[in-house]
Amino acid sequence: GSIRDSVLLQNLQQEVNRNFQKMSQEQNERGKVIYGLLASLFNTRQSSDKDAVWAREMSEKLNLPPIDYIPFKDLVNDSAGRVYQEVFFYGDKDGFDSYAHFIPTFQNGDWKITNPSKYWALITSTKGKPISIYVKKPIADPDEDEKAMNELQAYLEKNNIQPTVYIHRGHSYHVNATIAELENSAKLVMLGSCGGYNSLAQVLNVAPDAQIITSKQTGSMRVNDPVIHYIEKNIREGNDLKWETIWGNLNNLFRKDAGSYSLFQDYIPPQKNMGAIFIKAYKRMMNV
C-alpha cells in the first residue's frame, strides 16, 4: 500500500500471480488463500483511485465488515449511549512528555478532566455525545507503573466497562503491555508508538474486527495528539468515522507544518492498512 515504484509493483504482482498458480497446481489450499488474497489486493487497489470505493469493494468481496468507516453506533457500549475509551501512558521520559502534551488538548469547554485516582485520570465530554476516556498516568517507579495498570483494569472490570477505543502512547517496547489489556470489544485501536504496524497480528488476535491506526516508522506526539483530537471531535459529534474524509482533513491540517507533515505520511489509516485487511480476510477464509 505504500510502494510507489510502478516497476517494483508490477514485478511483485507478477510474482504473486506466479505463486498463486504454483499453489493451485500443488493443491495447497493455504497457499492458494494467501496468494489469492494478495492478488486481490494488488489488482483491485490499482483499479480504484478512491479509498472508499476500493474499501467497499474489498469488504464485499472478502466478506469483511466495513473497512473504510466505523459507524458511531458500533462505538457505543452501554444503554446510556456512552462511548468508553482507554489510553495508556508509561513511566519513562517519553511517557511523561506525551502525557503533559496530551492532557491540555482537552482543557476546553467541550471536556472535563478529573483525577479519581492517583493512577488514572478521567476525561468526560460536556457537550455532544457522552464519552468517558480513562487515561492511565505515567509513573516513574516501575512497580507503581504496573500497579497503575492493574488498578485501572480492576476498576473497569468491577464496573463492567469494556472500551471500544484503545490508544497506546509511548515507546514500542511498551506496546505488548497495552495489547495485553485489549478486549475483543475494541472497534478502534491506535498504536501511537514507532513501528506500530508490526503489531497488527497481535491486535487482531484479540479483537478480530478492530480497525487500526499505526505508524510504519516514527510515532510522534506532534501527530498523535492532533489525530486523536480530531477523531474525538467526530465521536463527540456522533459522526461515523469515515476515514477517507478524516484523513483528507488531517492531511490539510498537517500540511501547514513540514516536519509534522513528513511524520504524518508514515501513519496508516484503516482503509489503507493492507496488512490488517489481509490478516482479517485470511482468518475468515481459513476459519482461524
Side-chain angles (χ1 to χ4, degrees):
S2 59
I3 297 172
R4 298 291 175 261
D5 185 328
S6 59
V7 175
L8 177 56
L9 275 173
Q10 186 177 21
N11 288 339
L12 285 170
Q13 188 172 18
Q14 289 172 351
E15 191 66 14
V16 165
N17 292 336
R18 185 183 69 81
N19 277 278
F20 177 75
Q21 295 300 325
K22 183 172 183 286
M23 294 298 102
S24 297
Q25 291 168 4
E26 295 176 1
Q27 298 185 336
N28 184 323
E29 292 303 316
R30 180 169 177 269
K32 284 169 62 178
V33 168
I34 290 173
Y35 286 108
L37 280 172
L38 289 173
S40 292
L41 291 172
F42 265 117
N43 296 335
T44 57
R45 182 75 250 185
Q46 293 183 35
S47 66
S48 175
D49 294 330
K50 285 189 171 292
D51 290 333
V53 172
W54 178 83
R56 283 193 294 271
E57 289 174 352
M58 292 306 293
S59 292
E60 184 175 339
K61 182 174 183 177
L62 300 176
N63 191 29
L64 296 174
I67 55 181
D68 62 317
Y69 74 101
I70 301 178
F72 173 78
K73 64 180 179 61
D74 287 359
L75 299 174
V76 174
N77 205 18
D78 74 359
S79 58
R82 184 169 294 273
V83 177
Y84 291 104
Q85 306 182 31
E86 193 169 4
V87 185
F88 300 88
F89 292 90
Y90 294 89
D92 51 21
K93 182 180 183 302
D94 184 76
F96 281 101
D97 289 346
S98 295
Y99 182 80
H101 193 268
F102 173 81
I103 290 295
T105 64
F106 291 90
Q107 290 174 336
N108 55 60
D110 297 330
W111 303 92
K112 178 183 178 182
I113 303 171
T114 57
N115 291 277
S117 166
K118 70 175 182 178
Y119 296 119
W120 46 272
L122 174 61
I123 302 172
T124 52
S125 58
T126 58
K127 298 177 183 177
K129 301 296 184 180
I131 301 171
S132 294
I133 306 173
Y134 293 88
V135 184
K136 179 202 163 291
K137 297 178 180 179
I139 300 176
D141 179 84
D143 292 334
E144 283 291 289
D145 204 38
E146 183 176 355
K147 185 177 181 181
M149 181 80 83
N150 295 335
E151 289 285 328
L152 177 52
Q153 297 311 114
Y155 175 86
L156 296 179
E157 289 177 14
K158 180 181 178 181
N159 291 277
N160 196 29
I161 294 171
Q162 297 176 314
T164 54
V165 179
Y166 288 84
I167 299 172
H168 170 80
R169 299 296 302 276
H171 288 299
S172 57
Y173 48 75
H174 293 302
V175 77
N176 286 338
T178 294
I179 293 174
E181 304 302 334
L182 292 182
E183 300 283 347
N184 62 10
S185 58
K187 301 301 181 186
L188 174 62
V189 177
M190 179 172 176
L191 301 179
S193 59
C194 298
Y197 199 82
N198 297 315
S199 301
L200 296 178
Q202 291 173 268
V203 171
L204 293 172
N205 280 339
V206 179
D209 291 332
Q211 295 190 17
I212 306 171
I213 297 173
T214 62
S215 173
K216 292 180 295 180
Q217 300 293 332
T218 304
S220 171
M221 61 187 176
R222 293 166 59 185
V223 175
N224 288 329
D225 286 339
V227 170
I228 293 168
H229 180 74
Y230 192 75
I231 290 173
E232 297 295 357
K233 177 179 180 291
N234 275 270
I235 296 175
R236 189 174 53 77
E237 293 174 352
N239 298 328
D240 296 342
L241 298 181
K242 298 180 178 179
W243 297 118
E244 187 170 25
T245 300
I246 288 173
W247 228 250
N249 291 335
L250 285 169
N251 194 67
N252 292 334
L253 172 68
F254 284 114
R255 278 186 185 276
K256 299 172 184 177
D257 177 70
S260 297
Y261 185 68
S262 176
L263 292 167
F264 177 65
Q265 297 311 299
D266 281 328
Y267 280 69
I268 309 299
Q271 86 280 10
K272 288 188 176 181
N273 199 324
M274 304 289 240
I277 295 167
F278 175 87
I279 293 169
K280 288 179 181 182
Y282 175 79
K283 284 178 173 289
R284 282 178 179 258
M285 295 178 75
M286 296 297 291
N287 197 27
V288 293

